[in-house]
């Protein structure tokens, strides 16, 4: 009997209707379109504006899009993982709420949080459940309502982040397609450079902290940028070397959409031409856990069975890694 591998067999995505453009940000903070575009590659981002709607709303929409496109029966889904840095609530599981609302009533579920690497780590976890032979359908969703933790008076962060969600279905494969290898890392010494300090168990929210925006995202841009450039490129090279892959073997680079300069640096390090680099940062900004599945959703029509995909991500914590996956179907 051939080895079971975990293959992506369906994808879906969702972004809110409201578009926050660079021009609109010019009226909110001291910035301009040229400055934002030159330094980040972002032209606009989507924002979930409706009161009472959180990350689960985005996750449900992306999952429903996958279900509608693929025809999978939600009751056949055995596990739902929601990769997110912005859960709906403390304690109450965002994934459980999501699973129930999409009709995955036979599934168990859990949230997974590793900042911008959440979906990448989730791919590894989902693959292990499939490879065990006990599970046939695992739904992995990457979703974040980043606007819920952004200070729109801070030009260092408000220009970067947007809201969105993407979903993929993992199923067993015995043809050699699916997840082939992974190289995942973390380093807690980077914790202070990208985080929202107040609102967690170490520093519960106080009226004073909220007034001073300490419950919202802080980022030391230069330090994060330097670490992201080096580490994303480094793990991408390592995954190629370990699998004896050359640039000619790579069909697509699927890189976290945090900054176009970081994506370009990773592509340049592995000597990959621009037309093999998935890119949608100009439309959505950094959607954190949603960037990788949204790329797959946007590029699905261009993916072919047997394509070699190299995933790479870097996030707060610090967390980062790379995954090598062989695409399992033609659109």
């Amino acid at each position: 009997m051939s080895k079971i591998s975990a293959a992506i067999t369906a994808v879906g995505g969702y972004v809110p209707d409201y578009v926050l453009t660079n021009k609109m940000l010019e009226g909110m903070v001291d910035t301009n379109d040229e400055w934002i575009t030159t330094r980040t590659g972002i032209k606009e981002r989507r924002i979930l504006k409706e009161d009472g709607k959180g990350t689960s709303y985005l996750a449900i929409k992306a999952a429903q899009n996958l279900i509608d496109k693929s025809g999978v029966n939600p009751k056949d889904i055995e596990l739902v993982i929601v990769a997110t840095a912005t859960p709906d609530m403390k304690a109450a599981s965002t994934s459980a709420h999501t699973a129930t609302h999409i009709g995955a009533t036979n599934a168990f579920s859990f949230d997974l949080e590793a900042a911008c690497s959440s979906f990448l780590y989730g791919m590894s976890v989902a693959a292990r459940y499939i490879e065990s032979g006990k599970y046939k359908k695992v739904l992995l969703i990457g979703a974040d309502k980043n606007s819920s933790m952004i200070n729109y008076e801070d030009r260092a962060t408000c220009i970067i982040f947007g809201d969105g969600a993407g979903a993929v279905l993992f199923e067993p494969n015995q043809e050699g397609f699916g997840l082939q290898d992974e190289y995942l890392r973390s380093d807690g010494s980077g914790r202070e450079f990208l985080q929202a300090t107040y609102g967690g168990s170490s520093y519960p929210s106080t009226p004073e902290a909220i007034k001073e925006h300490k419950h919202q995202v802080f980022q030391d841009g230069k330090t994060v940028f330097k670490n992201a450039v080096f580490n994303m490129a480094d793990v991408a090279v390592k995954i190629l070397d370990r699998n004896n892959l050359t640039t000619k073997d790579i069909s697509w680079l699927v890189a976290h959409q945090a900054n176009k300069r970081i994506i370009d640096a990773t592509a340049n390090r592995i000597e990959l031409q621009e037309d093999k680099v998935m890119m949608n940062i100009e439309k959505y900004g950094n959607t954190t856990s949603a960037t990788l599945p949204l790329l797959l959703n946007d590029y699905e029509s261009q993916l072919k069975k047997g394509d070699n995909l190299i995933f790479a991500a870097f996030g707060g914590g610090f967390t980062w890694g790379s995954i090598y996956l062989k695409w399992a179907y033609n659109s």
Side-chain angles (χ1 to χ4, degrees):
M1 187 174 179
S2 55
K3 178 185 174 184
I4 296 173
S5 57
I8 292 175
T9 59
V11 301
Y14 175 77
V15 290
D17 293 331
Y18 184 86
V19 180
L20 179 60
T21 66
N22 290 349
K23 191 69 178 176
M24 293 163 72
L25 283 169
E26 289 179 8
M28 298 165 63
V29 291
D30 182 16
T31 191
N32 61 70
D33 175 65
E34 182 184 7
W35 192 90
I36 297 170
T37 303
T38 301
R39 284 160 179 78
T40 69
I42 302 169
K43 299 294 289 186
E44 57 189 42
R45 63 289 294 148
R46 301 298 185 94
I47 306 296
L48 181 60
K49 299 286 283 186
E50 293 89 340
D51 290 340
K53 291 183 178 178
T55 292
S56 65
Y57 176 82
L58 302 167
I60 290 164
K61 286 285 193 179
Q64 194 60 58
N65 179 245
L66 180 150
I67 290 165
D68 292 344
K69 285 163 57 178
S70 67
V72 64
N73 185 343
K75 294 187 185 305
D76 291 337
I77 298 170
E78 299 156 289
L79 167 60
V80 176
I81 304 171
V82 174
T84 184
T86 56
D88 283 5
M89 305 172 180
K90 294 181 177 66
S93 169
T94 301
S95 60
H97 181 73
T98 300
T100 296
H101 275 261
I102 63 172
T105 52
N106 293 319
F108 75 102
S109 60
F110 57 84
D111 297 353
L112 189 156
E113 199 279 309
C116 293
S117 302
S118 297
F119 187 84
L120 189 81
Y121 284 18
M123 291 175 67
S124 172
V125 174
R128 299 296 89 78
Y129 278 97
I130 293 294
E131 291 166 358
S132 74
K134 294 180 180 180
Y135 300 89
K136 308 300 183 191
K137 286 180 170 57
V138 175
L139 180 65
L140 171 63
I141 307 167
D144 271 304
K145 185 182 177 182
N146 288 309
S147 59
S148 66
M149 59 177 181
I150 297 300
N151 175 9
Y152 285 93
E153 297 176 1
D154 175 19
R155 70 171 186 171
T157 56
C158 74
I159 65 170
I160 298 170
F161 294 95
D163 301 338
V168 302
L169 183 68
F170 275 95
E171 295 187 275
N173 184 279
Q174 293 182 312
E175 300 177 276
F177 301 115
L179 199 148
Q180 306 293 308
D181 196 12
E182 61 186 45
Y183 191 86
L184 308 177
R185 314 298 296 169
S186 63
D187 179 5
S189 65
R191 184 186 197 185
E192 65 184 280
F193 301 112
L194 176 55
Q195 36 78 18
T197 306
Y198 279 78
S201 58
S202 295
Y203 300 95
S205 292
T206 64
E208 293 76 21
I210 292 172
K211 185 177 180 180
E212 295 174 18
H213 300 286
K214 290 182 178 179
H215 64 300
Q216 295 171 315
V217 168
F218 162 79
Q219 175 173 275
D220 180 335
K222 289 182 179 179
T223 301
V224 173
F225 179 85
K226 180 178 69 175
N227 279 274
V229 166
F230 175 80
N231 286 310
M232 272 182 57
D234 181 62
V235 290
V237 168
K238 282 183 167 64
I239 207 84
L240 293 182
D241 290 346
R242 199 157 73 180
N243 290 278
N244 298 314
L245 296 172
T246 68
T247 301
K248 294 179 180 179
D249 299 316
I250 304 170
S251 306
W252 295 98
L253 173 66
V254 191
H256 173 53
Q257 307 285 290
N259 185 303
K260 188 176 184 296
R261 291 185 293 166
I262 298 172
I263 301 165
D264 289 343
T266 303
N268 290 337
R269 177 76 183 276
I270 59 177
E271 300 178 344
L272 195 66
Q273 54 265 46
E274 192 174 347
D275 62 357
K276 289 188 174 184
V277 181
M278 291 188 185
M279 194 90 69
N280 61 13
I281 190 172
E282 74 281 356
K283 297 189 296 182
Y284 307 139
N286 181 353
T287 54
T288 308
S289 309
T291 64
L292 299 181
L294 277 174
L295 284 171
L296 295 180
N297 188 60
D298 284 359
Y299 281 80
E300 184 185 19
S301 63
Q302 300 181 54
L303 293 171
K304 299 178 180 64
K305 191 173 183 177
D307 278 355
N308 290 322
L309 276 57
I310 302 298
F311 292 78
F314 181 89
F318 289 134
T319 59
W320 70 98
S322 182
I323 282 177
Y324 165 35
L325 179 138
K326 194 175 285 288
W327 197 250
Y329 68 96
N330 294 314
S331 300

